[in-house]
Amino acid sequence: MKKNIQTAFNTRQYMLAKDFEIYYYNDQNLAKVNLHTHDYYEFYFFLEGDVSIQIGDKEYPVQFGDIMLIPPHRPHRPIIHNMKTPYRRFVFWISEEYCNHLLHISPDYVFLMQYVQVNKSYIFHNDQISFNAVQSKVLRLIEEMQSDRFGRNAQITLCVNDLVLYLNRMIHERNNLKSRNEESSLYQRLTDYIEDHLEEPLSLEKLAEEFYVSKYHIAHVFKDNLGLSIHQYITKKRLALCKEAILGKMSIKETYQTFGFGDYSSFYRAFKKEYGISPKDFKDMQIVKYD
């Protein structure tokens, strides 16, 4: 480890920078740290130490290669069991605002943040090879932040985004090593649930709460199985029911209200896009056909 990247430990629990901060700590005489919260995401990359991390009422033992993500406003603290071994770790802070910025670039950047919030699973164990890949990206970011080379600021942004995306990809791909049967089961349960609740408000957030998985994971599983987004699928299913209802002589107003369309204008646009004809013209055409 390069000595010049080490930072003296500071009890400060707020960010000085707007978007992110990163530190390498190596402590042998660390005072007790009380439970605390902060308004940003905090990554720990553990290197060494006889340490556990308390989050809420639960204590998590950690070892070399463990990565922990603590969401905003979640009480936590390190618990030092033995200071004979140095407590060494990287700490990476990233603001909610910057995460929202990344979200607008691609939801892939924040899969991990959403996963942790939904599943309350904060710690990820890694073998040495996997952790070394992460560590090299962390070191590259720290070294770039300490440099004065041309393009420094642009390169720092690239390093941060690369690190965040790499962590998201690593955890997402690890989760997706589960059997296709399990994914197919989730997909089938999703379609069954949607089928039974088409008349109710449906959203990724609602489905994530119902099935206790990340909304981004749901979106990926659904797109992989059907090639459509959940929103597209729900809209098509609702339109098919609306078409059948109109054929069954239900009024247009009752139809779109019954099957989950909030107002006529959104129903009109979706119906015409799907079938190439307005709901009224379709209804009139059926009246002429059967008169």
Side-chain angles (χ1 to χ4, degrees):
M1 186 68 62
K2 296 183 179 181
K3 292 183 179 179
N4 67 338
I5 69 171
Q6 182 176 336
T7 305
F9 182 71
N10 192 312
T11 57
R12 169 173 58 87
Q13 298 299 338
Y14 57 89
M15 291 178 62
L16 297 176
K18 178 174 178 287
D19 297 324
F20 50 82
E21 297 179 17
I22 190 163
Y23 303 101
Y24 166 59
Y25 294 125
N26 183 352
D27 297 300
Q28 288 190 292
N29 294 293
L30 188 65
K32 179 181 177 181
V33 179
N34 295 323
L35 275 172
H36 59 276
T37 63
H38 36 62
D39 59 1
Y40 45 82
Y41 290 93
E42 182 170 41
F43 285 89
Y44 283 88
F45 305 92
F46 289 94
L47 300 169
E48 188 178 13
D50 186 2
V51 180
S52 58
I53 300 293
Q54 180 183 348
I55 302 181
D57 297 328
K58 188 171 181 180
E59 188 174 325
Y60 299 84
V62 291
Q63 59 189 13
F64 172 83
D66 285 350
I67 297 172
M68 181 170 281
L69 174 55
I70 300 170
H73 315 297
R74 200 64 51 89
H76 64 281
R77 64 167 177 159
I79 300 173
I80 314 298
H81 302 293
N82 188 336
M83 287 305 299
K84 291 180 180 179
T85 304
Y87 174 29
R88 299 194 303 120
R89 70 279 186 204
F90 296 105
V91 178
F92 177 49
W93 295 344
I94 182 167
S95 70
E96 288 188 280
E97 184 178 351
Y98 194 76
C99 288
N100 288 333
H101 162 71
L102 292 176
L103 172 61
H104 284 95
I105 298 174
S106 169
D108 295 344
Y109 278 108
V110 295
F111 162 80
L112 181 53
M113 288 70 166
Q114 179 70 20
Y115 177 89
V116 168
Q117 295 273 25
V118 171
N119 293 282
K120 296 180 173 54
S121 177
Y122 308 106
I123 188 167
F124 305 94
H125 304 295
N126 299 281
D127 58 34
Q128 185 161 353
I129 294 175
S130 299
F131 188 68
N132 283 346
V134 174
Q135 189 175 192
S136 68
K137 292 182 181 295
V138 170
L139 286 169
R140 183 183 176 204
L141 171 59
I142 292 175
E143 290 167 359
E144 193 64 44
M145 292 180 74
Q146 293 182 346
S147 78
D148 58 359
R149 298 176 62 189
F150 173 80
R152 171 183 177 275
N153 290 338
Q155 187 63 54
I156 287 172
T157 299
L158 291 175
C159 288
V160 168
N161 294 4
D162 179 53
L163 172 61
V164 172
L165 185 58
Y166 187 85
L167 294 168
N168 277 276
R169 173 179 282 183
M170 182 174 72
I171 302 306
H172 181 270
E173 290 183 348
R174 190 175 298 174
N175 289 339
N176 282 282
L177 289 176
K178 297 175 183 177
S179 69
R180 286 297 298 175
N181 286 339
E182 189 172 334
E183 283 202 355
S184 297
S185 173
L186 174 60
Y187 167 71
Q188 187 61 58
R189 286 185 290 124
L190 279 166
T191 54
D192 289 346
Y193 182 87
I194 290 169
E195 188 81 30
D196 293 338
H197 297 82
L198 281 169
E199 71 281 4
E200 301 174 14
L202 290 171
S203 66
L204 269 175
E205 289 77 9
K206 180 177 175 62
L207 293 171
E209 291 177 4
E210 185 70 28
F211 290 90
Y212 300 100
V213 294
S214 160
K215 63 181 181 180
Y216 302 110
H217 180 58
I218 289 177
H220 279 293
V221 168
F222 209 91
K223 196 76 179 280
D224 288 347
N225 277 274
L226 197 60
L228 295 173
S229 70
I230 286 184
H231 175 72
Q232 290 171 321
Y233 175 78
I234 292 171
T235 299
K236 285 180 177 293
K237 294 291 289 185
R238 283 174 169 164
L239 287 171
L241 291 175
C242 288
K243 189 177 180 182
E244 291 177 7
I246 291 173
L247 287 173
K249 306 300 176 63
M250 183 182 285
S251 73
I252 290 175
K253 182 177 182 180
E254 186 180 0
T255 296
Y256 75 75
Q257 289 179 339
T258 299
F259 296 110
F261 288 93
D263 54 67
Y264 178 70
S265 61
S266 59
F267 171 61
Y268 173 91
R269 289 193 301 271
F271 193 96
K272 189 162 186 179
K273 181 179 180 181
E274 184 73 10
Y275 301 118
I277 188 172
S278 73
K280 184 178 184 306
D281 288 344
F282 177 75
K283 184 176 182 68
D284 291 343
M285 186 171 66
Q286 305 313 310
I287 292 172
V288 170
K289 184 183 296 185
Y290 294 106
D291 277 353

